[in-house]
Amino acid sequence: MMEKIIQLMKSTPDMELPPKIFNEMEGEFIEYIEGESLTVKFPIKRYYSNPFGFMQGGMIVAAIDNTLAPFSYLVSPVSITDNINTTFVRPIKMAYEFILVTAILIGKTPMKIHLRAEVKNPAGKLLAIGSSSSSVIRKTNTRK
């Protein structure tokens, strides 16, 4: 599955896809439903923990962003994130070993993409939700 998704994303020239941070976080594409959703699995590494022993919020947001962005490349022309919001529903325990992040298409116009993310533990319990909006990048001719 990962190869198919990477091939779809590689149709975007001049971009390194998936980005280095996706690989550093050991993201694994699990399921892609064309035009609807993308699910990615991320291991929970010990050095992601906060002082309370839970997954640090910034790393949760990074996992969300590393799912929403690849999905956006699959459902729309190249875009850039305008905003990303996250609500933490419950702490992510290191004992979970991994989280599943699913990006869902909410809507799109010729110039905007709206996505939602759901973060779940291995048993399917909701841990966090996120949303983002992105602006489609228009190609322009530059004069030299």
Side-chain angles (χ1 to χ4, degrees), residues 84-120:
I84 187 168
N85 297 297
T86 304
T87 300
F88 304 108
V89 177
R90 56 183 48 90
I92 296 179
K93 301 172 185 176
M94 303 311 281
Y96 292 149
E97 296 183 23
F98 67 88
I99 55 174
L100 295 168
V101 182
T102 301
I104 303 158
L105 177 65
I106 300 300
K108 65 180 179 175
T109 68
M111 296 307 298
K112 284 282 191 185
I113 307 162
H114 300 281
L115 304 174
R116 172 183 167 90
E118 295 179 348
V119 180
K120 296 183 178 179

Side-chain angles (χ1 to χ4, degrees), residues 1-119:
M1 165 152 326
M2 187 167 185
E3 291 304 316
K4 178 181 177 185
I5 293 170
I6 290 172
Q7 287 304 316
L8 286 168
M9 289 191 300
K10 290 216 185 260
S11 63
T12 307
D14 303 324
M15 295 179 72
E16 183 179 345
L17 296 171
K20 287 179 177 78
I21 189 63
F22 182 93
N23 294 326
E24 178 67 27
M25 291 183 71
E26 299 178 23
E28 177 186 347
F29 296 111
I30 299 297
E31 180 181 50
Y32 173 57
I33 300 173
E34 191 169 342
E36 292 182 29
S37 66
L38 174 67
T39 300
V40 179
K41 178 180 176 181
F42 293 95
I44 300 174
K45 299 179 182 182
R46 281 194 356 227
Y47 57 89
Y48 291 174
S49 69
N50 66 18
F52 299 103
F54 300 119
M55 189 172 179
Q56 195 263 347
M59 295 309 298
I60 299 166
V61 175
I64 290 171
D65 192 25
N66 276 292
T67 304
L68 293 175
F71 182 56
S72 74
Y73 301 137
L74 296 171
V75 298
S76 183
V78 176
S79 64
I80 189 163
T81 304
D82 295 328
N83 69 60
I84 187 168
N85 297 297
T86 304
T87 300
F88 304 108
V89 177
R90 56 183 48 90
I92 296 179
K93 301 172 185 176
M94 303 311 281
Y96 292 149
E97 296 183 23
F98 67 88
I99 55 174
L100 295 168
V101 182
T102 301
I104 303 158
L105 177 65
I106 300 300
K108 65 180 179 175
T109 68
M111 296 307 298
K112 284 282 191 185
I113 307 162
H114 300 281
L115 304 174
R116 172 183 167 90
E118 295 179 348
V119 180

